[in-house]
């Protein structure tokens, strides 16, 4: 049984693979650590073996930016929150950033 | 307050309690803690329309009818600005220019010709990233060579090329390596892995480039007046913030390291406009979740170990010192240029194509006489139209 969303995301990933946009990095979650510096990551439901040689500190559960089969950075969730806080301060808006999609304004 | 509005919070709380009861493991706790931030990171928060609208209003407010030329130097920004229609959302005075940010586009014709020459050698398997296939060299392209029966393959990762070399021990496998700082560490790590695994039929043709010399060339061009740089997010993931400090210190041009979601790009532009208007010149980081101020030291260490800076030629910018990456002496056995004795055909540029001027930000794609007339995505003449990240291709696709 494929994870939810699998069939929707496969063509997208295939097209990424074909076009291989140059500096595009996609986020993925580390599911398990393999031997010799590799890890299994989950990218929106698709699992792929990648190298974590460039991010030796990466642990299971970390979200990483993946480029050309390598994790290039561990995503910092607290910095993401901080960035959103600064933006909302600037624009004077008070949108909670984890609101559900059905609550979004058109 | 209606039940509908109150329910999401309750649901989030309930699910996190259930999660901690169900799976008390450290990993799960850690995941649960990060989940909110990371979910916010991609799907919703940085694509939120009201937040984007707020930033567009802020841009209109801050820019106050000033004329400012802001240049992005990353193919993914070119695509993002086109896809999200940000150019049309800007006040009339704010010009968003595309610089030399598409690695395929800045690759000189001679380098494409070298890759083509290697693909023509008997038994060679030439591998590369997908964008390279259609880029025309002087008389051919890698895609055209594949159509003629040469073994040219598209790979997602240089590690796939290494696997190919391991599974075809009797055939030389060459990886035509293009890309900026983001990609170079992946190639460096692959070469180290090839050495560790004693693979002797894997070679690379290094066409790597680093961005600071190109930015310097643009910053000191008197015919261009750039008021601020939208700096590339994923290149900075590796290089960190300091690599661009010279723009502010030596040329007085501010720069903001910017992410790729619409809210990211708009925030970068807002910060840039504020600095440009107030006359501040600084390099700031608006993509902190993906860019640490030192960048990725491990990745830079690997690149330093395998590559050394060398002079290389950029389409549109010409020859720039220390702007390319060549293999260090101890890694020369992996250099396809050394392994094969190739004769490269004389370089011929496509007649009338102004890709070079477009890459410098001197002209808009619309000002090129070939644009949309004889140069179209179906029949591209130059690399700016071939690559999906090229300025011309992005302009046609989204405008």
């Amino acid at each position: 049984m494929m994870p939810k969303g699998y069939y929707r995301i496969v063509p997208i990933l295939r097209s990424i693979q074909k076009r291989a946009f140059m500096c595009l990095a996609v986020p993925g979650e580390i599911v398990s650590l393999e031997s010799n510096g590799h890890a299994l990551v989950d990218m929106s439901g698709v699992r792929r073996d990648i190298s974590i040689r460039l991010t030796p500190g990466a642990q299971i559960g970390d979200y990483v930016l993946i480029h050309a089969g390598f994790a290039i950075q561990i995503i910092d969730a607290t910095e993401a929150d901080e960035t959103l806080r600064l933006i909302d301060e600037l624009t004077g808006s008070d949108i909670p950033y984890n609101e559900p999609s059905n609550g979004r304004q058109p | 307050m209606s039940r509908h509005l109150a329910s999401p919070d309750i649901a989030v709380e309930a699910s996190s309690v259930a999660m901690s009861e169900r799976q008390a493991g450290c990993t799960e706790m850690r995941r649960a803690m990060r989940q909110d931030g990371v979910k916010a990171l991609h799907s919703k928060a940085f694509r939120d329309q009201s937040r984007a609208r707020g930033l567009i209003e802020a841009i209109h407010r801050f820019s106050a009818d000033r004329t400012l030329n802001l240049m992005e130097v990353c193919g993914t920004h070119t695509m993002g600005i086109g896809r999200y229609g940000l150019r049309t959302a800007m006040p009339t005075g704010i010009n968003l220019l595309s610089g030399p940010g598409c690695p395929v586009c800045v690759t000189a014709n001679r380098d494409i010709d070298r890759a083509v020459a290697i693909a023509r050698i008997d038994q060679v398997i030439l591998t590369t990233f997908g964008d390279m296939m259609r880029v025309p060299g002087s008389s051919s392209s890698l895609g055209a060579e594949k159509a003629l029966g040469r073994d040219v393959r598209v790979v997602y990762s240089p590690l796939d090329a290494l696997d190919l070399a391991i599974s075809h021990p009797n055939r030389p496998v060459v990886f035509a390596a293009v890309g900026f700082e983001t990609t170079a560490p992946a190639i460096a790590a692959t070469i180290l892995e090839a050495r560790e695994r004693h693979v002797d039929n894997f070679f690379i043709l290094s066409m790597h480039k680093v961005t600071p010399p190109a930015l310097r060339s643009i910053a000191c061009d008197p015919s261009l007046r750039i008021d601020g740089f939208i700096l590339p997010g994923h290149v900075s993931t590796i290089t960190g913030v300091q690599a661009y400090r010279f723009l502010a210190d030596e040329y007085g041009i501010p720069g903001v390291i910017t992410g790729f979601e619409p809210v990211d790009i708009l925030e970068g532009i807002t910060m840039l406009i504020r600095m440009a208007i107030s006359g501040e010149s600084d390099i700031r980081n608006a993509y902190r979740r993906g860019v640490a101020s030192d960048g990725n030291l491990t990745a830079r260490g690997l690149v330093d170990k395998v590559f050394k800076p060398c002079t290389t030629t950029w389409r549109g910018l010409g020859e720039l010192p220390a702007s390319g990456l060549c293999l260090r002496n101890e890694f020369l056995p992996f250099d396809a240029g050394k392994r094969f004795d190739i004769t490269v055909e004389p370089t011929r540029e496509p007649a009338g194509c102004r890709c070079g001027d477009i890459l410098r930000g001197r002209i808009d794609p619309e000002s090129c006489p070939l644009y949309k007339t004889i140069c179209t995505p179906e029949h591209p003449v130059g690399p700016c139209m071939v690559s999906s990240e090229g300025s011309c291709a992005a302009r046609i696709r989204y405008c």
Side-chain angles (χ1 to χ4, degrees):
Chain A
M1 175 74 181
M2 290 302 172
K4 200 179 153 204
Y6 179 82
Y7 292 103
R8 187 169 47 84
I9 200 91
V10 161
I12 302 171
L13 283 181
R14 289 224 176 103
S15 92
I16 288 174
Q17 187 158 347
K18 252 193 228 149
R19 311 298 291 263
F21 300 129
M22 281 304 174
C23 291
L24 181 79
V26 287
E29 183 191 359
I30 297 190
V31 180
S32 67
L33 299 174
E34 316 278 312
S35 59
N36 60 33
H38 280 237
L40 192 65
V41 287
D42 183 312
M43 301 188 269
S44 311
V46 179
R47 293 191 171 196
R48 205 194 136 95
D49 177 73
I50 59 146
S51 169
I52 50 165
R53 196 166 180 160
L54 305 177
T55 52
Q59 298 294 321
I60 294 175
D62 278 343
Y63 280 79
V64 286
L65 285 172
I66 301 155
H67 171 73
F70 285 81
I72 57 168
Q73 188 64 276
I74 302 167
I75 296 171
D76 192 330
T78 33
E79 287 290 3
D81 293 345
E82 179 62 13
T83 304
L84 290 169
R85 197 187 59 76
L86 288 174
I87 293 173
D88 293 344
E89 211 175 82
L90 176 82
T91 58
S93 76
D94 53 352
I95 324 147
Y97 57 80
N98 53 358
E99 68 178 321
S101 53
N102 61 6
R104 261 187 16 199
Q105 287 171 13
Chain B
M1 183 176 266
S2 76
R3 240 183 104 230
H4 173 73
L5 279 174
S7 60
D9 286 342
I10 295 166
V12 167
E13 212 164 281
S15 75
S16 67
V17 168
M19 186 180 248
S20 59
E21 276 175 3
R22 210 168 45 234
Q23 296 146 325
C26 181
T27 317
E28 290 303 322
M29 288 285 286
R30 207 173 149 165
R31 185 189 299 183
M33 279 163 66
R34 285 168 175 270
Q35 204 75 356
D36 278 356
V38 176
K39 259 189 193 160
L41 203 68
H42 294 104
S43 54
K44 291 184 198 139
F46 287 95
R47 289 187 184 173
D48 188 284
Q49 286 186 22
S50 7
R51 200 172 264 125
R53 204 173 296 134
L55 284 167
I56 290 170
E57 278 162 18
I59 288 171
H60 280 260
R61 210 164 53 234
F62 292 135
S63 67
D65 299 331
R66 280 277 300 272
T67 302
L68 293 172
N69 295 322
L70 309 179
M71 178 180 268
E72 49 71 15
V73 281
C74 174
T76 318
H77 281 149
T78 314
M79 297 269 291
I81 287 171
R83 179 184 298 153
Y84 305 121
L86 302 185
R87 197 168 270 113
T88 49
M90 290 297 119
T92 43
I94 305 297
N95 302 317
L96 299 181
L97 307 175
S98 277
C102 151
V104 168
C105 306
V106 297
T107 303
N109 257 11
R110 189 165 179 79
D111 285 334
I112 310 272
D113 293 343
R114 277 166 71 209
V116 165
I118 288 176
R120 286 175 177 165
I121 298 170
D122 194 33
Q123 288 294 311
V124 164
I125 302 177
L126 190 114
T127 55
T128 190
F129 292 130
D131 251 16
M132 281 291 281
M133 291 298 276
R134 290 175 66 212
V135 183
S138 298
S139 68
S140 182
S141 69
L142 291 173
E145 292 301 312
K146 186 182 172 76
L148 290 172
R150 325 270 183 210
D151 201 343
V152 181
R153 303 186 194 188
V154 172
V155 290
Y156 163 68
S157 163
L159 287 174
D160 297 343
L162 182 60
D163 286 344
L164 210 55
I166 292 167
S167 58
H168 295 78
N170 301 322
R171 296 180 65 186
V173 174
V174 179
F175 183 70
V178 281
F180 293 128
E181 288 93 330
T182 324
T183 318
I187 315 290
T190 306
I191 289 174
L192 288 170
E193 193 158 329
R195 191 167 73 164
E196 284 155 18
R197 295 169 73 173
H198 308 290
V199 182
D200 57 5
N201 60 329
F202 176 73
F203 309 94
I204 69 150
L205 183 63
S206 178
M207 306 182 229
H208 284 298
K209 293 181 172 54
V210 292
T211 46
L215 291 175
R216 187 182 288 276
S217 151
I218 284 173
C220 59
D221 183 338
S223 68
L224 296 169
R225 209 180 46 80
I226 304 296
D227 299 292
F229 282 107
I230 301 168
L231 296 169
H234 291 143
V235 167
S236 309
T237 297
I238 306 295
T239 62
V241 182
Q242 292 306 321
Y244 303 107
R245 190 61 65 191
F246 71 94
L247 288 172
D249 293 351
E250 294 174 36
Y251 301 99
I253 304 177
V256 177
I257 293 169
T258 306
F260 300 97
E261 298 293 346
V263 169
D264 282 322
I265 300 176
L266 288 169
E267 195 211 0
I269 294 172
T270 314
M271 285 167 75
L272 213 44
I273 290 174
R274 287 179 96 179
M275 278 199 280
I277 298 268
S278 65
E280 247 180 297
S281 56
D282 195 6
I283 304 299
R284 302 225 169 112
N285 183 1
Y287 190 42
R288 298 170 83 100
R289 66 187 187 278
V291 177
S293 58
D294 290 337
N296 184 335
L297 292 172
T298 314
R300 284 221 302 282
L302 291 187
V303 172
D304 266 355
K305 192 170 176 187
V306 175
F307 293 108
K308 61 181 178 192
C310 61
T311 303
T312 192
T313 308
W314 296 57
R315 186 190 301 274
L317 305 181
E319 215 169 72
L320 299 177
S323 68
L325 294 173
C326 303
L327 287 168
R328 287 190 184 276
N329 287 347
E330 60 172 308
F331 294 96
L332 282 184
F334 294 102
D335 191 340
K338 296 275 181 295
R339 165 67 176 75
F340 301 103
D341 187 20
I342 43 170
T343 28
V344 182
E345 59 193 306
T347 310
R348 211 159 40 88
E349 299 292 336
C353 172
R354 309 220 28 208
C355 192
D357 288 329
I358 292 169
L359 286 170
R360 279 195 90 94
R362 277 211 182 106
I363 63 167
D364 245 14
E366 282 90 352
S367 314
C368 173
L370 305 190
Y371 178 76
K372 268 188 179 175
T373 53
I374 62 169
C375 185
T376 61
E378 290 76 30
H379 300 284
V381 175
C384 293
M385 186 65 87
V386 175
S387 168
S388 45
E389 292 185 340
S391 309
C392 300
R395 193 62 68 89
I396 278 204
R397 187 157 172 197
Y398 297 114
C399 292

